[in-house]
């Protein structure tokens, strides 16, 4: 009796299409994988790889598993992407993105053009704008990072860096904005450098053009740009500790509201600007849909984490007798949390910054930019046009942020 490994017929179909598979019998393909969504043009799948999930897409020129086995589960892998070794789940990789051996990229990630990391990088709910580069041995979950203009002028995170995204209270209301969406999407901002052997305690915000010295831990926002930042180490001490104090609650909430507003603004960018560029490429509709799906997941994740914190604060308030502004803020948040979450998830008519959006889109079409490569098209726009686009997205962010604050403070 002839024994065939699972996915044998799909492997044969891929080989007939022209996909390069040096050792076909080592490839495991789930029954749910659509062979039609794997391009034959220049794609190589090296030995020991596994492809799972009905939403898995692999575009032309992709290289899978050059340095070690790769598991892909419901990812959309764009053109010329190199996933060299590791585990990749429910994430999107746009043209030329890359990850080295030992990567662990979980759901909700979007790696835009030519962004990526070296070996042993862990990501989840992470968005990297074009050219952003991560070194080795990095944990960088729950972040959005932008900045830089090309491969030799890019934002970078040094090796052995950690984004601390889990608090002693067990909260993950810790997303950090390294750069922002309104200016970052124009791919014209100075790069941000986070020195290696360091870390960042989320939720934080970081301005463009900043350089953080190696070996330091960031614990506060640096929204101004063009600074050399040398974090101060903690002095040794033993202090009383009261779990659930939430002394920095106001800043935590504001940074979370700003993060969600930036994600929703980025979704508008994908809806109005990114779509025609992506749809021009083979399987581009899947890349576009996957990116928007992950942006929605990103908002849902932030709301989920805020809801858990609100519930804990509400329960804790019953056991504490606090006075002052912090107590009032806790009470307001625990009572208004669901109204705020509903505000962020409502289907709304996007009117904020509409006049700037329309002028920006009109200029984009008038210059024939949609016929060009995405990065070249955006970077070729005159300064006054990119300012219109930034103003549109800033109005979107500010409208959402101020609306959430108004509910909290009402």
């Amino acid at each position: 009796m002839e024994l065939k490994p699972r996915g044998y017929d799909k492997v044969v179909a891929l080989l007939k299409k022209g996909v390069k598979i040096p050792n076909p019998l080592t490839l495991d393909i789930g029954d749910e994988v659509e062979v039609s969504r794997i391009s034959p043009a220049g794609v190589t799948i090296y030995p020991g790889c596994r492809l799972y999930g009905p939403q898995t897409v692999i575009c032309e020129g992709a290289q899978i598993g050059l340095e070690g086995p790769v598991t892909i589960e419901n990812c959309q892998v764009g053109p010329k992407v190199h996933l060299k070794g590791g585990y990749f789940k429910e994430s999107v990789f746009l043209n030329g993105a890359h990850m080295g051996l030992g990567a662990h990229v979980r759901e909700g990630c979007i790696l835009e053009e030519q962004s990526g990391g070296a070996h042993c990088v862990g990501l989840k709910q992470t968005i990297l704008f074009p050219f952003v580069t991560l070194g080795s041995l990095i944990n960088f979950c729950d972040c959005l990072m932008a900045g830089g203009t090309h491969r030799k002028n890019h934002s970078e995170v040094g090796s052995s860096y950690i984004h601390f995204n889990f608090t002693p209270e067990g909260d993950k209301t810790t997303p950090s904005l390294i750069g922002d969406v309104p200016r970052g999407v124009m791919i014209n901002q100075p790069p941000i450098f986070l020195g290696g052997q360091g870390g960042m305690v989320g939720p934080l915000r970081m301005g463009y053009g900043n350089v953080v010295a190696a070996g330091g831990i960031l614990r506060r926002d640096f929204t101004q740009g063009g600074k050399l930042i040398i974090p101060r180490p903690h002095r040794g001490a033993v202090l009383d500790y009261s779990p659930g104090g939430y002394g920095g609650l106001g800043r935590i909430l504001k940074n979370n509201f700003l993060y969600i507003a930036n994600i929703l603004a980025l979704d508008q960018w994908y809806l109005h600007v990114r779509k025609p560029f992506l749809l021009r490429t083979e399987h581009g509709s899947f890349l576009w849909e996957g990116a928007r799906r992950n942006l929605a997941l990103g908002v849902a994740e932030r709301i989920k984490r805020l809801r858990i914190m609100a519930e804990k604060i509400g329960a804790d308030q019953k056991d504490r007798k606090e006075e002052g502004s912090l107590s009032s803020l806790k009470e307001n948040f625990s009572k208004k949390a669901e109204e705020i979450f509903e505000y962020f998830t409502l289907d709304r008519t996007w009117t904020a910054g509409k006049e700037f959006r329309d002028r920006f889109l009109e200029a984009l079409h008038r210059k024939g930019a949609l016929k060009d490569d995405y990065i070249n098209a955006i970077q070729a726009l005159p300064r006054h046009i990119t300012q219109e686009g930034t103003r549109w997205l800033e109005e979107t962010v500010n409208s959402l942020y101020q609306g959430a604050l108004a509910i909290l403070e009402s």
Side-chain angles (χ1 to χ4, degrees):
M1 182 177 64
E2 183 180 6
L3 295 177
K4 295 181 180 180
R6 188 175 74 145
Y8 175 84
D9 293 337
K10 292 181 182 290
V11 173
V12 171
L14 289 175
L15 289 169
K16 288 181 178 179
K17 286 176 64 174
V19 177
K20 296 179 181 178
I21 308 175
N23 196 336
L25 292 180
T26 68
L27 181 61
D28 186 32
I29 303 182
D31 295 336
E32 71 284 358
V33 173
E34 295 283 346
V35 172
S36 62
R37 297 184 181 183
I38 300 176
S39 173
V43 171
T44 302
I45 304 176
Y46 289 93
C49 292
R50 306 160 192 170
L51 307 180
Y52 305 133
Q55 295 173 342
T56 288
V57 173
I58 301 177
C59 296
E60 61 177 327
Q63 303 289 298
I64 310 298
L66 175 62
E67 296 179 351
V70 163
T71 298
I72 291 177
E73 184 177 350
N74 281 324
C75 289
Q76 294 77 54
V77 180
K80 301 178 183 177
V81 169
H82 288 199
L83 303 181
K84 298 180 181 179
Y87 177 71
F88 305 89
K89 178 182 179 182
E90 294 174 20
S91 293
V92 178
F93 305 86
L94 300 184
N95 196 342
H98 55 92
M99 292 296 292
L101 179 66
H104 195 248
V105 181
R106 291 175 288 167
E107 58 268 22
C109 293
I110 302 174
L111 276 66
E112 295 191 340
E113 287 82 355
Q114 300 183 51
S115 65
H119 70 274
C120 298
V121 172
L123 306 177
K124 182 182 179 183
Q125 299 289 341
T126 301
I127 299 173
L128 303 181
F129 277 22
F131 310 119
V132 173
T133 299
L134 311 180
S136 301
L137 307 173
I138 287 173
N139 190 318
F140 210 63
C141 302
D142 297 317
C143 297
L144 182 150
M145 188 169 188
T149 57
H150 52 79
R151 283 300 307 150
K152 294 184 178 180
N153 181 51
H154 55 78
S155 289
E156 180 157 354
V157 180
S159 294
S160 300
Y161 199 91
I162 297 176
H163 178 249
F164 297 100
N165 66 332
F166 195 79
T167 70
E169 286 81 14
D171 297 315
K172 294 187 76 174
T173 52
T174 50
S176 291
L177 278 173
I178 303 120
D180 61 14
V181 168
R183 291 177 291 170
V185 293
M186 300 306 168
I187 324 175
N188 61 2
Q189 294 299 305
I192 299 167
F193 182 82
L194 304 179
Q197 286 282 65
M200 173 185 292
V201 182
L204 290 185
R205 291 184 291 144
M206 174 66 62
Y208 289 107
N210 285 334
V211 173
V212 181
I217 306 296
L218 292 170
R219 291 182 170 86
R220 64 184 182 89
D221 301 333
F222 292 91
T223 55
Q224 288 185 313
K227 305 295 182 184
L228 172 61
I229 301 165
I230 306 175
R232 291 183 178 180
H234 274 324
R235 292 184 299 174
V238 178
L239 306 172
D240 291 333
Y241 171 67
S242 177
Y246 292 105
L249 181 61
R251 187 184 65 84
I252 291 171
L253 293 179
K254 288 179 179 179
N255 281 1
N256 272 268
F257 295 168
L258 276 171
Y259 192 90
I260 294 172
N262 271 267
I263 296 299
L264 291 171
L266 184 58
D267 183 65
Q268 287 294 293
W269 180 259
Y270 269 83
L271 177 62
H272 294 287
V273 179
R274 275 287 198 166
K275 185 176 182 179
F277 289 101
L278 288 172
L279 293 191
R280 285 212 321 264
T281 65
E282 182 187 21
H283 303 313
S285 61
F286 297 116
L287 298 176
W288 179 72
E289 291 166 2
R292 293 201 68 205
R293 181 166 55 247
N294 280 4
L295 292 171
L297 283 173
V299 173
E301 173 72 8
R302 303 280 54 96
I303 290 175
K304 170 186 172 182
R305 300 301 178 179
L306 285 169
R307 177 177 284 117
I308 292 171
M309 187 173 73
E311 291 171 351
K312 291 199 302 191
I313 288 174
D316 191 56
Q317 283 290 92
K318 297 177 182 179
D319 301 328
R320 289 176 181 260
K321 292 183 179 180
E322 293 181 320
E323 295 181 357
S325 59
L326 178 58
S327 177
S328 177
L329 178 60
K330 288 181 177 180
E331 184 176 359
N332 278 2
F333 177 55
S334 63
K335 289 182 177 179
K336 299 284 186 176
E338 290 303 322
E339 188 177 349
I340 293 170
F341 304 154
E342 184 179 2
Y343 170 78
F344 277 129
T345 55
L346 279 175
D347 289 330
R348 63 182 79 247
T349 301
W350 291 87
T351 57
K354 183 178 182 297
E355 65 275 21
F356 303 107
R357 181 194 73 193
D358 291 345
R359 286 201 292 266
F360 176 79
L361 295 177
E362 181 184 351
L364 195 64
H365 286 268
R366 188 171 61 245
K367 288 185 170 294
L370 298 180
K371 299 177 182 179
D372 201 353
D373 168 79
Y374 168 73
I375 290 177
N376 291 335
I378 298 302
Q379 291 185 328
L381 292 173
R383 181 177 176 82
H384 72 279
I385 297 301
T386 60
Q387 287 175 337
E388 297 276 13
T390 293
R391 185 70 184 275
W392 154 41
L393 297 172
E394 284 178 341
E395 293 281 344
T396 300
V397 169
N398 290 336
S399 173
L400 288 162
Y401 173 65
Q402 295 297 336
L405 279 186
I407 295 172
L408 179 65
E409 297 168 356
S410 63

